[in-house]
Amino acid sequence: MKSLSTIVAVALTTMAVVVSSATAAPALAAPARTQGGAGTLLWEDQFNGYGGPDPAKWGFQTGRWGASSGEQQYYTDSWNNANQSNGSLNITARRENPPDRKQAPYNFTSARVVSMYKQSATPPVRIEASIKMPRAQGLLPAFWTLGMQPGGEYSWPSQGEVDIVEIPGMYGPSFNLHGPARSNPNQDVKAGGSMNPVDSGFHTYRIDWLPTSITWFVDGIARYSLNQAQYEAKGGNWTAFSGTWPHYILLNVAVGNNWTGKTLNSTPYPQTMSVDWLRVSRL
């Protein structure tokens, strides 16, 4: 998906092992809850403040994150790109002169809001949010996690990435997992599914994440599931998803990507992703 700009160049020099679903996954049964403390709220944000996101829960990753994977935006910490208003966190991509003064086609700003070093999640856990996500050619709004691998917090893909939901361009919600191959921590083993586009309103996107499996939901309906045995059968190393280390949460709107293609001159801007609420609960 959105590989970290400081490390993705290394990953691109290796042969990625890619396993993805070409069709929408069927609805699946929710995994059983574990005993003891099930349903306990660990942390949440209702985004009822005003101004920037709550600094006790969120920070920013600024600059040209994702540039090596074809992204066109400069991420800022400006309220112009990320702010709380009307009970939502609003992340807005804009066609404008960026702080580094790069010209077209890199003349976009956006925000990458992260809970790194502030809040985290470790399985067994439920992570969910109500989000209104834009659809437009070349756009990639996302709600996802990255692993806090000790000493490898920026070591993609070995740290592990869970894409709770992405909207690639004009397509429907996509659910993906990125992690390392057993034989090479720099090889990306990807597995995922997708579904038809949803309407333009708010939808609840969620994962139920156990130490040996992850199930993705949209509006309470399971759409894709992956377990440790299936991932390892593809050559992947499940360690990053086992609970060995926690993950932090990211919310961002990328512009352009090697996956989605460049945004078009005809694509209207600004484009905003609004998050009504976000919750992390123990399963």
Side-chain angles (χ1 to χ4, degrees), residues 62-64 72-78 81 94 96-103 106-110:
T62 61
R64 291 281 174 185
Q72 297 169 253
Q73 79 289 322
Y74 184 103
Y75 288 122
T76 82
D77 58 1
S78 168
N81 294 116
R94 300 181 182 276
E96 62 183 357
N97 292 327
D100 61 0
R101 302 184 181 277
K102 283 196 173 184
Q103 302 299 306
Y106 303 104
N107 56 329
F108 294 89
T109 63
S110 188

Side-chain angles (χ1 to χ4, degrees), residues 16-22 174-179 188-193 224 226 230-236:
V17 180
V18 178
V19 181
S20 61
S21 173
S174 181
F175 325 106
N176 296 294
L177 194 76
H178 294 265
D188 172 26
V189 178
K190 176 185 175 183
Y224 180 70
L226 184 73
Q230 291 169 327
Y231 191 68
E232 290 178 346
K234 308 299 184 183

Side-chain angles (χ1 to χ4, degrees), residues 7 10 21 40-41 51 90 141 146 182 206-207 216 232 254 267:
I7 51 153
V10 175
S21 173
T40 301
L41 179 67
N90 306 294
L146 283 171
R182 283 196 306 271
R206 158 184 147 209
I207 57 170
W216 285 254
E232 290 178 346
T267 298

Side-chain angles (χ1 to χ4, degrees), residues 3-22:
S3 306
L4 302 178
S5 60
T6 57
I7 51 153
V8 73
V10 175
L12 289 175
T13 62
T14 65
M15 181 184 301
V17 180
V18 178
V19 181
S20 61
S21 173

Side-chain angles (χ1 to χ4, degrees), residues 1-2 71 73 75 91-93 110-112 131-144 163-176 205 250-257 259-260 269 271-275:
M1 185 199 75
K2 313 157 289 303
E71 294 180 15
Q73 79 289 322
Y75 288 122
I91 299 176
T92 301
S110 188
R112 179 166 160 137
I131 310 177
K132 182 178 181 180
M133 305 188 87
R135 288 173 59 228
Q137 179 59 45
L139 212 61
L140 189 62
F143 168 35
W144 51 305
D163 300 322
I164 302 169
V165 64
E166 304 172 272
I167 305 291
M170 297 300 296
Y171 293 95
S174 181
F175 325 106
N176 296 294
Y205 300 100
L250 303 91
L251 297 156
N252 71 298
V253 178
V255 178
N257 187 275
W259 179 25
T260 62
Y269 283 86
Q271 293 278 352
T272 298
M273 176 173 82
S274 295
V275 187

